[in-house]
Amino acid sequence: MDLPDVQSTCPDVRINLTRVGVKNVKKLVEVMRPNKRPMIFISNFDVFVDLPGSLKGANLSRNFEVIDEVLQQAIDGEVSGIEELCSVVARKLLDRHEYADRTEVQMRSEFMVKRETPVSKTSCHEVVKVHARAIAQRTFHEPLIRKSIGAEVTGMTACPCAQNIMQEHAAHVLTELGVENEKIEKFFAEVPMATHNQRGRGFLCIETDDEEHVDLETIITILKDSMSARTYELLKRGDESYVVMAAHKNARFVEDCVREMAKRVLAAFDYLPGDSRITIKQTNEESIHQHDAYAERKATLAELVVEMDEENNKKIH
């Protein structure tokens, strides 16, 4: 006996819905890599389609079927990255939901990264938050797909303003003690002055056309290297001294971190088309204030290139 298909009936109120779907679908994602261990992501998916006013509901079971099907492709090595995984899901959803003109897949994951401390070379792990998204739009020919990949990592920043104040005070004291200016300068070059620190949270996301590839590990490296110093779960005494010294020799405001990320994005992803969209955010959790410092930049790659070229021309002239 055929069961009734209630979703296909006409609703009482016939209006189109922008997004209908499922949220917080938990999955373990395994992406194979040649000559490397698989990338494992503990992930939450949000999957949506648009719905015309002529249908009472969407067939949500198809969303789960497509996700499981594409996850198996990733395990088999047919999908090379999580943004591609989202792209394939979005594309297949258009095939399964013939009434939909637009599909959207969002993926939020935790990715365990293996690290080595800078001095003792102690092995430790770090959890990185990873974001991926794909939107597929039906056209008269092939679907138009835009996808994005991003990450959020933590690091350490040191405040340049307070450090400058402390250095001026120390220089005055040393001068009063009869220390020569040349020796004072050499001392500051070797031993940076104290300042207050922040735990920084950097976010970088890059949106591209479907055929482009953006390396996730490059994004993570850019984020880590754009703050004053990297942080580690486990530090021996030599490692701790190295991290603190590195941070204080590389003091940066929250604004500096965002600008440094932008510069590194241009160097690492210069092969991407100019309409690739870059989103950069930095939040510094203050230690001597009760608020957080924040900066962000959203722009196309082409816009950043123009600004950087203008800045370089100013320096030349």
Side-chain angles (χ1 to χ4, degrees), residues 34-45:
N35 303 320
K36 289 185 178 181
R37 64 181 179 85
M39 299 175 76
I40 306 296
F41 301 88
I42 302 171
S43 305
N44 280 3
F45 286 90

Side-chain angles (χ1 to χ4, degrees), residues 87-201:
S87 171
V88 174
V89 171
R91 185 186 296 272
K92 285 180 178 290
L93 285 173
L94 282 180
D95 296 335
R96 301 292 176 88
H97 296 272
E98 65 284 349
Y99 49 80
D101 288 325
R102 181 184 184 277
T103 63
E104 180 178 351
V105 181
Q106 299 178 10
M107 176 181 174
R108 301 174 303 281
S109 305
E110 289 189 340
F111 176 43
M112 191 70 74
V113 181
K114 190 174 183 180
R115 295 291 185 216
E116 192 176 73
T117 58
V119 177
S120 67
K121 306 302 179 185
T122 302
S123 179
C124 57
H125 287 86
E126 173 185 5
V127 175
V128 174
K129 294 181 180 179
V130 178
H131 306 260
R133 183 187 184 203
I135 296 175
Q137 187 74 42
R138 195 185 299 278
T139 68
F140 292 110
H141 302 289
E142 284 294 309
L144 178 63
I145 298 178
R146 293 284 287 184
K147 64 184 181 182
S148 63
I149 179 77
E152 178 183 316
V153 305
T154 59
M156 177 181 177
T157 57
C159 176
C161 182
Q163 187 177 57
N164 184 262
I165 295 170
M166 295 298 294
Q167 184 166 315
E168 286 188 7
H169 174 70
H172 175 73
V173 172
L174 290 171
T175 300
E176 290 292 306
L177 292 172
V179 180
E180 298 173 359
N181 286 337
E182 185 178 350
K183 289 185 177 180
I184 293 175
E185 291 177 4
K186 287 183 178 179
F187 175 78
F188 288 147
E190 293 297 324
V191 183
M193 292 306 300
T195 186
H196 68 97
N197 305 125
Q198 303 89 16
R199 170 173 286 180
R201 289 186 286 112

Side-chain angles (χ1 to χ4, degrees), residues 20-34:
V20 174
V22 292
K23 298 183 70 174
N24 292 318
V25 179
K26 293 179 170 56
K27 294 289 183 178
L28 184 68
V29 178
E30 182 177 348
V31 178
M32 301 301 294
R33 297 182 294 176

